[in-house]
Amino acid sequence: MKKKILIALFTVILSSFFIVSLASKDNQPTNNDVAPQNNNIMINSPLFTSVEDEAQRPAQDISFTTEEITFEHVLTVGTFELWIDATQGTGGTGAIRVRNTETGYVWCSDVPNYTVDSNSTKRAMKSSIEMAYTSVDKPRDFKYDVTASSNINLTIDKSQISNNVITYKVDNTVAKIKFAYTVTLTANGIQFDLANSSIEEYSNGKNILKEIKVFPYLGTTINKETPGYVFIPSGNGALVRYSSESILSSTGYTQRYYGSDENYLGNNEADVLSLPVFGMVHGVNQDAMIARIKNGSAMAKLTYIPAVSNNPFNRAYNTFIYREATSISIPGGSKVDVYDEEYCKEDISISYSFLSKENANYVGM
């Protein structure tokens, strides 16, 4: 017995000696401990930040009267002016523009001075809201409509304009889904609010609301014409420079704040966004925007779509998921999506702050 104990003690002591020896060797400086200064692959990797591009952005050529939209100046608060497309009915877009009178810069929810051939893209480029719904009878029949669609009846209510509030009432007469949202001009920018009590599904259960995108083209830049970047709240914050040659696909990057709902999907902690914010810089130390979800972040996801060969737009926006889908396998290998009976009873509130000069950068955001 004593012999076995002595052998065990000897083994422990010998192991400790080897561990200490290895640690001593690891503490010795070697050439491998120093990052090679001429290694372009490493220097250009996410381990190192990119050199800040402080180039002056091109001057804006903004007209508040276009071939299709005449913007009306409705509010001024501090250094910000709110301009809206006042068109109502089926021709209304809900498009807005915010002018910073201090810098003269205009933030547009539409994409000015750019034309495309696709009618659906034209409508999307002018719309402040994009909604998705699905038919209960054909749950895989996924449909999109935007406020500039002929299916949408848009009403603009200015009764609260004395409080700097404009109310938009959206009625999709085909899906038979309606809701209302407000845009408030503040001393920092604008605030978007959509109360869940305003949502009404009146199709007798035939169509259900799935999700709503908010200002999907606000702050859009074209290729790499505008120096700057998108701020994504991954870790300490990822900065994605505008480029016309992104390594991402045209579908871009989409991630949930705080991760996926584990009732439907498992979570990958590495993919969780840490804070319900995102930002866009249009010229470092010139102008920037930061969007902060004040309510509804648990049902939201962030999408960043970069410019690639078949898509010239760099854009970022929030989508709010009102109904999650569960994919059910059926005999024969097919799958069908089954949606929650009730939509998420959560109000949405987002503030968009417009920054300028020394605040128009990552630190300022």
Side-chain angles (χ1 to χ4, degrees), residues 54-239:
E54 297 187 2
Q56 192 70 23
R57 63 158 185 268
Q60 279 186 309
D61 180 19
I62 299 292
S63 171
F64 289 96
T65 300
T66 70
E67 292 182 2
E68 300 173 318
I69 301 176
T70 298
F71 286 89
E72 175 185 328
H73 176 212
V74 291
L75 286 169
T76 299
V77 175
T79 60
F80 295 108
E81 297 176 346
L82 177 63
W83 295 69
I84 68 170
D85 175 6
T87 306
Q88 303 192 59
T90 56
T93 67
I96 67 166
R97 293 182 178 181
V98 180
R99 180 173 178 266
N100 185 336
T101 58
E102 184 180 20
T103 65
Y105 198 70
V106 182
W107 291 90
C108 307
S109 73
D110 63 320
V111 184
N113 307 325
Y114 199 90
T115 58
V116 294
D117 295 328
S118 168
N119 287 328
S120 61
T121 303
K122 285 180 182 178
R123 291 197 303 269
M125 286 167 54
K126 295 184 293 183
S127 298
S128 59
I129 292 290
E130 187 172 324
M131 63 170 286
Y133 66 94
T134 189
S135 167
V136 174
D137 294 335
K138 298 178 180 179
R140 298 178 70 182
D141 185 12
F142 194 69
K143 304 175 183 178
Y144 276 95
D145 272 292
V146 290
T147 37
S149 169
S150 60
N151 298 334
I152 302 293
N153 185 31
L154 184 68
T155 303
I156 302 175
D157 182 358
K158 300 180 185 177
S159 61
Q160 294 295 313
I161 199 168
S162 60
N163 297 321
N164 303 322
V165 177
I166 305 293
T167 300
Y168 293 85
K169 298 177 181 179
V170 179
D171 184 1
N172 187 318
T173 57
V174 173
K176 299 189 183 302
I177 298 172
K178 61 173 63 174
F179 57 88
Y181 66 90
T182 61
V183 175
T184 304
L185 186 64
T186 70
N188 297 314
I190 58 172
Q191 178 162 311
F192 173 96
D193 292 280
L194 195 161
N196 97 86
S197 59
S198 73
I199 300 173
E200 182 181 347
E201 298 170 321
Y202 60 98
S203 67
N204 294 322
K206 292 183 179 180
N207 299 312
I208 56 175
L209 176 65
K210 187 177 183 292
E211 62 186 36
I212 290 177
K213 296 179 183 179
V214 180
F215 295 134
Y217 282 83
L218 179 62
T220 293
T221 64
I222 308 298
N223 290 320
K224 54 182 179 180
E225 294 176 2
T226 300
Y229 47 79
V230 172
F231 162 53
I232 295 174
S234 177
N236 293 331
L239 306 183

